[in-house]
Amino acid sequence: KKSRRHHQTMQSHYFPRDKNYSQNISKIIHNHGLNGVISLLARRLARLVIKTAKTLTSKVVIRAASATAGLFVLQALYVLVKTPRLSPPDKSGVNFPREGLSVSLQNEDRCRIEKGSADSAGKGSKTKWREFRLVLIGDSPVEGIGNSHHSVALSGRTAEAFAKLVCRSGREHDDRRDEADENALKGKQYDSVRYWSYGKSGLTARGVNREMVPLLHRVVDDVVSSSNGDTAAENCFEKPIHAIVLLCGVNNVLDPRPTTFYRDVHSLIHSIKHHPKFGSIDKDTPLLILGLPDFTKLPFLPSWPMGWILGFRGRYIQHVLETVIQEVQQEEMIESGRIQTRMVRIPELNDVLGTIGYQRYESASCSIDDANSESDGATESVLRKMQNPFKMKFCHPLLEYLGAVGLDQAKISSLGMQDFLSDDGFHPGRYGTIYCGNLIVDAYRKIMSNTL
C-alpha cells in the first residue's frame, strides 16, 4: 500500500497532463535517481501487460466455450443419429398386466414365470399360497427397453433374485444365505414372487410421480380390496406390497432445470410412502432407490466434452438424490426407529472388468463321524478331504452377483462393458439386468437385517 501511494503521488506530481513528460522525468532522476524512473516505467508496463492479458484471456475463453458448445451439439446429433431406438417388451409400461406376473423357483437355476392372480396360482392346493409382492416404477429400464421379454429385463431379473431369497424352493439353494437372512425373513416362507413393472422412457422424477405412482396406488387398492373379507389377508403377511423399487434421475441429467430435482424427488418419495390406504396398512415397506450410472464410462457417449459434461451433471443429480434419501432416513428413524429407504449404488464395473480374479483356500475338512457315516466307496474321498483340509476356490468381485448364471473362470474374466448393456450401449441388458437385480436384493437384505 505504501508503494502504491508513493507511485500515485509520483504520478500526479511528476506527470500532470498539462506539462511535458521529459521535464518530469528529469525531476524524477534528480529527486529519486534512475531507480525511480525504472520503477515507474515497470509499473506502467505491468499494468499494460495485465490489461492485454485480460483482454486476450476473455477472448480465448469465449472462443473456447463457443467451440466446446458447437462440438457438444455435433456430438449430441451424432449420438441421436447413431444410437439405435430399442423397443420395450410387449405389454410394458401402463399396459403391464394388472394382475402382475408371478415367478416361482423350480430349482437352483430355473425360474417359472406365469401370469395369473394369486387365487388361481394357489387353486387346488391344501396349503395357503403365499406371495411376495414387488412393484417397480421408474423410467426406461423399468419399462424394459432393450430386452425382448420381461423375464430377461430388469424387473424379471429382480423378481428372480427375490425368489431365490424368499421362496421356499429357493431357500436350500441360495449359497449366500446366512443367519442374518434367517432373522430377516423371520420364518415367513413364500411360494412365489408376484411383480408389477410400471415404467416409461423419458420420464423425469416429476413425470414418475405424475404417471407411475398412481399405478402403484392402483396395485395397492387391488390387493387390499381382494383381501377384504377373505383369509388371503394372512397370505400378505399384513402387507399389500413387500418391496418397492424406484428408478429416476437419469432423464433429469438432460433436464435444463436440474435445480428442481431436489423438490421433485422429495415429492416423489413422499407420494410413494404416504398414500392413505398404503400407509394405514403398513409403513415398514422397504423402498429401494437405484442410483445413477457413471456417464463418463458409458461406451455410446464421446469422452469429451459430452461425456464429461453429462458425467458432471450426473454426479450432481446423484448427490442431490443421496441428500434427499438421508433426510428421509432421518425422518424414519424419528418416527419408527427403523430405516426403510435405501440407496442402491451401482459399483464401477470398469474397476473389476478384465481382472482374472484370485484363488483362496476354503475349509473342506470332515469329521470322524462323517467318515463313519459314509459308505465304503465314499470313505476314501472323505479320508482324502481329511488329509487335505483346505481346497482352492476361485473368487471374483462379480462372482457373487453372476455366480448363479453358471459362468466359469475364463468367461467371467473375459466380460466387458458391452456384456452388461443392451445394443444401444446405455440400457441394462444381458448380464447387466442380473447384476442390478442382485444389487437390489442385497440392499433389501440389509434393510431387513437392520444393518446399514
Side-chain angles (χ1 to χ4, degrees):
K1 291 182 179 179
K2 275 187 175 183
S3 176
R4 185 178 301 174
R5 287 197 297 267
H6 177 66
H7 169 70
Q8 292 175 355
T9 303
M10 290 177 60
Q11 186 177 14
S12 61
H13 180 71
Y14 294 105
F15 291 95
R17 296 184 178 181
D18 56 348
K19 293 187 179 181
N20 192 358
Y21 279 15
S22 61
Q23 296 178 1
N24 296 328
I25 293 177
S26 301
K27 291 180 181 179
I28 294 176
I29 296 174
H30 182 269
N31 295 333
H32 301 280
L34 186 61
N35 293 333
V37 177
I38 294 175
S39 175
L40 184 62
L41 294 178
R43 289 177 180 272
R44 285 179 170 250
L45 180 62
R47 187 182 302 169
L48 180 62
V49 170
I50 292 174
K51 184 177 180 180
T52 305
K54 288 182 178 180
T55 304
L56 293 177
T57 302
S58 61
K59 291 182 179 180
V60 170
V61 169
I62 292 174
R63 292 180 180 179
S66 302
T68 303
L71 183 58
F72 180 86
V73 173
L74 292 178
Q75 289 180 349
L77 295 175
Y78 174 81
V79 170
L80 290 175
V81 172
K82 291 296 183 180
T83 303
R85 298 293 182 270
L86 303 180
S87 59
D90 295 336
K91 295 183 178 181
S92 59
V94 296
N95 298 321
F96 195 84
R98 185 164 181 172
E99 63 274 14
L101 296 178
S102 179
V103 177
S104 59
L105 200 64
Q106 291 181 329
N107 51 47
E108 184 178 0
D109 299 324
R110 295 185 61 186
C111 290
R112 183 179 71 252
I113 299 180
E114 57 187 9
K115 178 180 176 181
S117 62
D119 296 336
S120 62
K123 187 176 181 180
S125 177
K126 295 181 180 180
T127 60
K128 295 179 179 179
W129 190 266
R130 295 178 173 178
E131 287 188 329
F132 183 92
R133 294 183 174 88
L134 171 69
V135 179
L136 298 91
I137 59 173
D139 44 21
S140 53
V142 179
E143 189 180 9
I145 296 292
N147 298 277
S148 57
H149 303 283
H150 286 292
S151 59
V152 297
L154 178 62
S155 56
R157 295 299 190 184
T158 305
E160 290 182 10
F162 270 103
K164 293 179 181 179
L165 178 67
V166 302
C167 287
R168 291 179 177 179
S169 56
R171 294 172 65 86
E172 58 200 37
H173 300 294
D174 194 354
D175 297 334
R176 293 182 295 166
R177 186 178 303 279
D178 51 13
E179 184 178 357
D181 298 331
E182 299 295 335
N183 295 332
L185 293 177
K186 299 178 181 179
K188 299 176 181 178
Q189 301 177 6
Y190 299 87
D191 298 291
S192 64
V193 175
R194 183 167 298 276
Y195 71 95
W196 292 262
S197 180
Y198 295 117
K200 184 178 179 181
S201 179
L203 288 182
T204 60
R206 182 179 300 178
V208 174
N209 191 9
R210 183 178 60 252
E211 300 184 27
M212 300 294 112
V213 173
L215 299 176
L216 167 65
H217 295 167
R218 188 184 67 179
V219 172
V220 175
D221 296 339
D222 292 344
V223 173
V224 173
S225 61
S226 63
S227 62
N228 286 336
D230 192 1
T231 57
E234 184 180 353
N235 301 342
C236 303
F237 298 122
E238 300 179 355
K239 282 187 178 182
I241 304 297
H242 297 89
I244 301 174
V245 179
L246 172 63
L247 279 78
C248 68
V250 173
N251 295 296
N252 288 93
V253 175
L254 302 176
D255 191 359
R257 300 172 300 171
T259 55
T260 62
F261 179 71
Y262 175 85
R263 182 174 63 253
D264 295 342
V265 74
H266 207 289
S267 176
L268 172 60
I269 296 177
H270 184 273
S271 299
I272 293 174
K273 299 182 71 67
H274 294 83
H275 182 260
K277 293 184 180 179
F278 184 80
S280 62
I281 297 175
D282 198 337
K283 297 182 180 180
D284 295 335
T285 300
L287 175 60
L288 308 170
I289 303 176
L290 191 64
L292 273 67
D294 189 357
F295 285 85
T296 59
K297 306 297 177 61
L298 296 178
F300 83 104
L301 288 178
S303 59
W304 192 90
M306 189 174 185
W308 186 87
I309 294 175
L310 294 182
F312 176 79
R313 291 172 65 93
R315 288 189 294 270
Y316 169 76
I317 295 296
Q318 176 76 11
H319 173 72
V320 174
L321 187 60
E322 293 177 355
T323 302
V324 174
I325 292 177
Q326 290 177 1
E327 294 178 357
V328 173
Q329 290 176 347
Q330 293 176 0
E331 295 176 359
E332 291 174 345
M333 287 296 296
I334 294 174
E335 293 179 359
S336 61
R338 293 188 59 186
I339 292 179
Q340 299 297 331
T341 303
R342 187 175 179 88
M343 163 74 75
V344 183
R345 294 179 176 85
I346 302 178
E348 293 292 342
L349 285 174
N350 289 337
D351 297 338
V352 296
L353 290 178
T355 58
I356 60 175
Y358 59 93
Q359 301 281 348
R360 75 175 183 184
Y361 286 103
E362 186 182 52
S363 175
S365 60
C366 298
S367 62
I368 299 297
D369 296 334
D370 295 335
N372 294 332
S373 63
E374 295 287 342
S375 61
D376 296 337
T379 304
E380 293 183 2
S381 62
V382 175
L383 293 177
R384 195 180 304 113
K385 290 182 180 180
M386 294 176 63
Q387 294 176 358
N388 299 317
F390 297 98
K391 65 178 181 179
M392 298 295 292
K393 181 180 180 181
F394 172 68
C395 299
H396 194 276
L398 295 178
L399 190 62
E400 181 181 3
Y401 303 103
L402 302 178
V405 188
L407 298 177
D408 55 0
Q409 178 177 357
K411 180 63 177 178
I412 200 172
S413 301
S414 62
L415 292 177
M417 183 63 75
Q418 67 278 2
D419 296 317
F420 292 83
L421 301 174
S422 301
D423 295 336
D424 59 357
F426 176 70
H427 293 94
R430 303 181 181 94
Y431 299 116
T433 55
I434 304 175
Y435 181 66
C436 293
N438 283 290
L439 288 175
I440 294 171
V441 172
D442 282 346
Y444 173 82
R445 181 188 289 110
K446 292 178 181 179
I447 287 180
M448 300 305 292
S449 59
N450 293 325
T451 58
L452 284 178

